[in-house]
Amino acid sequence: MRHYEAVVIGGGPAGMMGSITLGGKDVKTLLLDENDVLGGQLVKQTHKFFGDHAHYASVRGFEIAQKLQEEMAKDPNIKVETSATVIGVYPNNLIVYAKDGKEFKVTYKKLLIATGAMEKQLPFINSDLPGVYGAGAVQTLMNEYGVMPGKRFLIVGSGNIGLILAYQLIQAGAEVRGIVEALGKIGGYEVHAKKIKRLGVPILLNHTIVKAIGDESVSGAVIAKIDEHFKPIPGTEEEKVVDTICVSVGLTPLSELAEQAGCKIEYIPQLGGYVPIRNERMQTSNPDVFIAGDLSSIEEATTAMIEGKIAALEMAHNLKSTDVENEINDEIQTLSLFRSGPKSEKIRIGLEKFGINVKPVPEIERHGVQIGPQGKLRAIIDCTEEIPCNSCEAVCPFGAIHIGENLNSTPVVDYDKCNGCATCVIACPGLAIHMLKEDVENSTALVGIPYELLPLPEKGQKMWALDEDGNYICDAIVKKIAKYPNKTNIIYVEVPLEFSQKVLSVEFPKRESPFVCRCEEVTLDEIERVIDSGITDFEEIKRLTRVTMGPCGGKNCKLVVLGILSRKTGVPISKLSHGTSRPPVKPVEFSLFTKRDDSK
Amino acid sequence: MEGRIKAHPILEFRRGKRVKFYFEDREIEAYEGETVAAALQANGIRVLRYTPHTNRPAGLFCAVGKCSSCLMEIDNVPNVRSCMTKVKEGMHVRRQNKRGDVL
Ligand SMILES: Cc1cc2nc3c(=O)[nH]c(=O)nc-3n(C[C@H](O)[C@H](O)[C@H](O)COP(=O)(O)OP(=O)(O)OC[C@H]3O[C@@H](n4cnc5c(N)ncnc54)[C@H](O)[C@@H]3O)c2cc1C
């Protein structure tokens, strides 16, 4: 049996940072993780993380894991065992784990448990049907194995995980038919929600899934509106044709090993469920056992890493009387700052039950979207919700963006200093920044949109410009594609000036919609989008789409268009103005008009 | 192969060597390094077992070894988490019926 000064169970951000810190303090450490690669949740996160620039903000999740791993590999004090599943913690500081079909035992002086969390279940009819997956499972399949388990998805739950999953599914080429959310508001960050709304994913609030349809595999889902007691309202059921359902209704800490290690456990719903009681330095009721990360409270990678560091520092102090006082206090202060914003209220309430008090910041500077000086190429930041993130401020080479010491504040741009370099657009984890430059003389505007999808369009290509809900608003001509190493590219498109402040997304023109106007090749979809944007006058629709204005003069499509208009507006065709008919009613040669013969 | 992401805007998939294994005696193509459950999902196979009491079909749910929904019989050993077991050339995988026999 081997003996270590410190053993760490779980190689997610908390356990990795804990190991790095322990190793740095000369503590002989063993890290055990069940997976064959380290990183925990980070491995399947393709998006850039929020947070403090000093703590890997703007770096994609899987890349944070790689960086931490590189750091660990350099330290001979750290021994790593992957594919090592800890099956029990026993008295006398004994750990048993399974690896390669064999049982291993190790003992420790101090133990850090950072086993993270697992997804909560949501029982609904047929929720056990194959094709209903936990959101994390789909992330694992997609982002670790490159396997796409379905074509059309419904997501249950609009927390950050559900929102990010929707985005990742679209990136991998799937279709997301919608997200249902039982509460009256979106659970996750506003910027994550906006990112998928402008790609056309509807988020249905006060809705739940009633049942999954299918015999041996999902072929549909019934959703319904719910009342204030979360009961489905009869008559509001609706079937969604999907082949895959993803459940993302929150995480709950994996506290069994901590319990076996003699840590007192308490049920604190604000922290995610059963959590070990611990002090500010992450020490549990068993003085030899420390915890960190999602096991202590369902939060973020950033807070997980800081907690891992705090726990490790205190462990090193316990083991070697190393002086860590200043370092620990600094980390505790950073952690408080992360938790001081309005989005962390639940965590603060939960922690208070352990006697850990985090003060909310009394007054957070809140700013709306600034538009800036017309005509100048500049960054427009749509980030109005207080979340702990400062990557835009940190990367701006001109010091044009201010967030300040409290990273929950929202950014303010000094447009005298902004020179249109777009560095912030690339860095922003929320993809909440775009570029804008109006050209009043030519009545156009250049809009630069962050784009993380494939394929990329080509210069000169026509695309559809979309608004914040993914609705078509106008055509857009691609002027430039700026590619960046971090794979957030920017597509610069030209749009009519009047739409300059509405355009937030682009997509390739859809082809699967039926063609209504054969002459001008206008699809049903295009006509409906114009009507949806609020235009219901037939003449106006004609001018915007060119329907009925081709060589046939509307003989083919006029009635169809009026039918669509009538269906969408509820006004009978007989009451609609059907426009003016102008000669010629049949196509004739232009030369005809110059060869007039008035003799007859 | 069906069900596999070909181009991705952020990730590059470095897939391992191609291997073959058997699911209910049917030959399945997979890549070294992927789990049995992932390879089956990639091939459109979702039903991984039938439950002990009500004989309902069950499939992959958490994919990270936590929920035990994906238990299968792998090389004659029942109750193996197919989401944590890597594919191997020539492996025999079967749907698990009920609880599986103790060997
Ligand atoms: C979709 C999604 C998006 C997110 N976005 C962000 C973001 O933008 N910014 C941010 O800061 N955070 C984000 N997070 C949160 C962040 O990923 C987690 O808070 C963080 O990973 C928690 O770290 P951890 O080390 O506590 O646990 P985990 O990362 O879950 O790691 C736990 C590790 O323990 C191992 N383990 C568990 N039990 C055992 C056992 N018995 N034996 C051996 N090993 C075991 C697991 O295999 C795992 O590797 C996101 C999370 C998700 C799911």
Side-chain angles (χ1 to χ4, degrees):
Chain A
M1 188 161 43
R2 287 162 303 155
H3 178 75
Y4 282 88
E5 286 181 294
V7 173
V8 179
I9 306 176
M16 288 175 100
M17 190 51 102
S19 304
I20 291 167
T21 311
L22 283 162
K25 296 287 174 201
D26 248 347
V27 178
K28 295 269 174 283
T29 304
L30 171 68
L31 171 64
L32 298 168
D33 194 284
E34 182 170 24
N35 294 313
D36 60 346
V37 285
L38 293 181
Q41 294 278 2
L42 295 176
V43 178
K44 52 192 180 211
Q45 304 313 336
T46 51
H47 63 290
K48 293 174 286 192
F49 272 42
F50 287 100
D52 186 350
H53 214 68
H55 290 94
Y56 302 104
S58 295
V59 183
R60 296 185 191 279
F62 70 100
E63 289 167 338
I64 300 178
Q66 285 162 3
K67 285 186 184 199
L68 290 171
Q69 204 159 350
E70 280 160 25
E71 229 174 292
M72 282 175 57
K74 284 189 238 148
D75 190 338
N77 286 325
I78 308 170
K79 159 112 177 103
V80 177
E81 288 257 47
T82 50
S83 305
T85 309
V86 176
I87 53 176
V89 181
Y90 296 86
N92 302 319
N93 294 11
L94 173 70
I95 292 171
V96 177
Y97 66 92
K99 185 178 162 76
D100 302 328
K102 291 192 212 79
E103 182 202 80
F104 294 88
K105 290 178 182 164
V106 283
T107 57
Y108 58 85
K109 277 198 185 123
K110 297 285 167 194
L111 173 64
L112 173 58
I113 309 182
T115 43
M118 74 174 276
E119 293 184 294
K120 284 186 189 161
Q121 296 272 347
L122 178 75
F124 52 89
I125 295 169
N126 290 335
S127 58
D128 60 335
L129 194 65
V132 178
Y133 297 91
V138 171
Q139 291 194 327
T140 302
L141 289 171
M142 257 190 328
N143 300 337
E144 280 189 61
Y145 299 112
V147 169
M148 176 49 79
K151 288 196 177 72
R152 282 177 289 276
F153 288 73
L154 175 75
I155 296 173
V156 184
S158 73
N160 276 334
I161 296 182
L163 299 175
I164 287 168
L165 176 66
Y167 186 67
Q168 294 180 348
L169 280 165
I170 294 169
Q171 284 185 306
E175 199 184 316
V176 182
R177 284 286 163 96
I179 300 183
V180 287
E181 167 60 56
L183 298 175
K185 66 177 195 340
I186 292 167
Y189 290 163
E190 190 179 79
V191 284
H192 280 324
K194 286 185 172 172
K195 200 155 77 177
I196 55 168
K197 275 206 221 161
R198 59 180 181 251
L199 292 174
V201 176
I203 303 176
L204 302 167
L205 301 177
N206 302 310
H207 272 74
T208 193
I209 179 164
V210 179
K211 73 190 250 190
I213 302 172
D215 190 9
E216 295 238 308
S217 172
V218 171
S219 59
V222 177
I223 62 167
K225 253 195 191 150
I226 51 175
D227 63 19
E228 63 273 28
H229 309 295
F230 297 103
K231 289 260 172 308
I233 303 171
T236 63
E237 297 88 355
E238 187 188 328
E239 188 185 330
K240 291 268 172 202
V241 182
V242 294
D243 55 31
T244 313
I245 297 166
C246 300
V247 182
S248 60
V249 292
L251 300 174
T252 188
L254 279 169
S255 55
E256 298 100 319
L257 291 177
E259 199 165 357
Q260 291 173 12
C263 310
K264 272 210 197 92
I265 307 284
E266 229 177 276
Y267 180 73
I268 302 194
Q270 291 89 349
L271 302 182
Y274 288 99
V275 288
I277 297 176
R278 43 84 170 189
N279 63 20
E280 205 171 21
R281 299 183 171 208
M282 309 315 294
Q283 193 167 28
T284 67
S285 60
N286 175 349
D288 287 345
V289 181
F290 293 72
I291 56 165
D294 278 356
L295 168 62
S296 70
S297 52
I298 304 298
E299 268 179 287
E300 306 256 282
T302 327
T303 49
M305 285 189 272
I306 302 173
E307 283 187 349
K309 195 165 181 183
I310 292 173
L313 289 169
E314 186 67 9
M315 287 162 80
H317 173 70
N318 281 195
L319 285 163
K320 306 201 155 213
S321 307
T322 317
D323 179 19
V324 294
E325 229 17 58
N326 289 342
E327 270 179 274
I328 284 203
N329 286 330
D330 282 354
E331 295 300 328
I332 289 177
Q333 213 171 341
T334 315
L335 198 52
S336 306
L337 193 61
F338 268 99
R339 291 176 173 153
S340 64
K343 281 269 160 182
S344 296
E345 198 188 346
K346 248 171 51 178
I347 299 294
R348 289 196 297 269
I349 295 171
L351 290 175
E352 254 170 45
K353 303 199 172 152
F354 294 150
I356 300 169
N357 291 307
V358 181
K359 286 203 180 54
V361 171
E363 196 60 44
I364 287 173
E365 292 173 52
R366 198 174 184 151
H367 311 276
V369 182
Q370 293 166 271
I371 291 308
Q374 201 184 47
K376 176 177 175 167
L377 179 66
R378 63 205 189 272
I380 305 290
I381 307 187
D382 183 1
C383 175
T384 57
E385 182 185 57
E386 302 89 338
I387 54 173
C389 185
N390 67 357
S391 48
C392 53
E393 177 187 48
V395 298
C396 178
F398 305 99
I401 305 174
H402 178 76
I403 285 178
E405 212 165 296
N406 179 2
L407 63 166
N408 293 291
S409 304
T410 56
V412 182
V413 187
D414 179 346
Y415 282 108
D416 289 337
K417 290 185 183 160
C418 173
N419 90 333
C421 71
T423 309
C424 56
V425 180
I426 311 308
C428 176
L431 300 190
I433 312 180
H434 69 273
M435 302 301 294
L436 179 63
K437 181 185 197 299
E438 300 86 348
D439 180 349
V440 179
E441 211 168 288
N442 291 308
S443 273
T444 60
L446 187 70
V447 184
I449 287 164
Y451 198 78
E452 295 184 335
L453 303 177
L454 284 181
L456 285 173
E458 273 163 31
K459 200 174 152 185
Q461 197 170 344
K462 185 174 101 176
M463 292 188 88
W464 283 357
L466 313 178
D467 68 5
E468 58 184 357
D469 293 316
N471 290 320
Y472 170 90
I473 33 177
C474 59
D475 285 347
I477 304 297
V478 177
K479 288 287 167 188
K480 182 178 150 190
I481 296 138
K483 289 194 194 172
Y484 295 90
N486 81 344
K487 300 191 177 165
T488 302
N489 301 316
I490 303 180
I491 299 184
Y492 287 90
V493 292
E494 189 180 87
V495 297
L497 185 62
E498 63 263 42
F499 299 120
S500 67
Q501 291 188 20
K502 284 223 151 111
V503 175
L504 289 170
S505 182
V506 285
E507 71 176 356
F508 288 96
K510 287 220 174 82
R511 293 208 185 90
E512 64 270 28
S513 187
F515 283 92
V516 171
C517 170
R518 298 165 185 239
C519 305
E520 293 295 316
E521 297 174 59
V522 185
T523 62
L524 170 64
D525 209 64
E526 285 172 78
I527 297 164
E528 288 191 331
R529 277 165 187 269
V530 171
I531 300 171
D532 285 343
S533 75
I535 293 159
T536 52
D537 179 62
F538 183 66
E539 282 295 334
E540 194 77 351
I541 296 170
K542 272 171 69 177
R543 273 191 285 275
L544 281 165
T545 64
R546 289 201 52 83
V547 274
T548 78
M549 290 169 82
C552 91
K555 285 188 197 58
N556 279 310
C557 63
K558 187 165 165 176
L559 259 181
V560 184
V561 177
L562 286 167
I564 298 165
L565 188 57
S566 165
R567 173 166 57 77
K568 302 229 29 126
T569 57
V571 180
I573 294 184
S574 57
K575 296 258 159 54
L576 287 171
S577 144
H578 64 280
T580 320
S581 175
R582 293 190 178 84
V585 299
K586 296 273 165 85
V588 287
E589 285 172 35
F590 260 117
S591 56
L592 192 81
F593 302 109
T594 57
K595 297 181 195 144
R596 192 180 300 159
D597 183 353
D598 287 329
S599 62
K600 288 187 188 136
Chain B
M1 272 192 263
E2 181 201 340
R4 287 196 162 77
I5 301 165
K6 284 171 198 86
H8 193 284
I10 310 294
L11 297 168
E12 273 168 52
F13 299 109
R14 279 179 225 102
R15 296 190 168 100
K17 213 173 81 203
R18 278 196 184 207
V19 291
K20 281 192 190 115
F21 70 101
Y22 299 91
F23 167 72
E24 300 288 343
D25 299 326
R26 172 180 149 195
E27 207 176 88
I28 302 283
E29 281 207 43
Y31 292 101
E32 212 168 64
E34 66 188 10
T35 60
V36 171
L40 292 176
Q41 308 306 299
N43 286 278
I45 297 162
R46 282 180 162 179
V47 181
L48 306 183
R49 70 178 172 115
Y50 289 94
T51 60
H53 299 300
T54 50
N55 202 31
R56 286 170 67 83
L60 183 65
F61 183 76
C62 82
V64 285
K66 310 257 150 74
C67 76
S68 293
S69 177
C70 68
L71 298 180
M72 298 186 83
E73 193 184 295
I74 299 182
D75 284 338
N76 289 320
V77 181
N79 296 314
V80 181
R81 294 178 296 171
S82 61
C83 74
M84 297 302 281
T85 309
K86 303 268 149 142
V87 292
K88 283 204 194 83
E89 181 72 42
M91 192 178 233
H92 281 270
V93 176
R94 292 186 178 281
R95 287 192 178 113
Q96 178 158 322
N97 265 312
K98 316 257 160 140
R99 291 220 184 277
D101 296 325
V102 176
L103 294 178

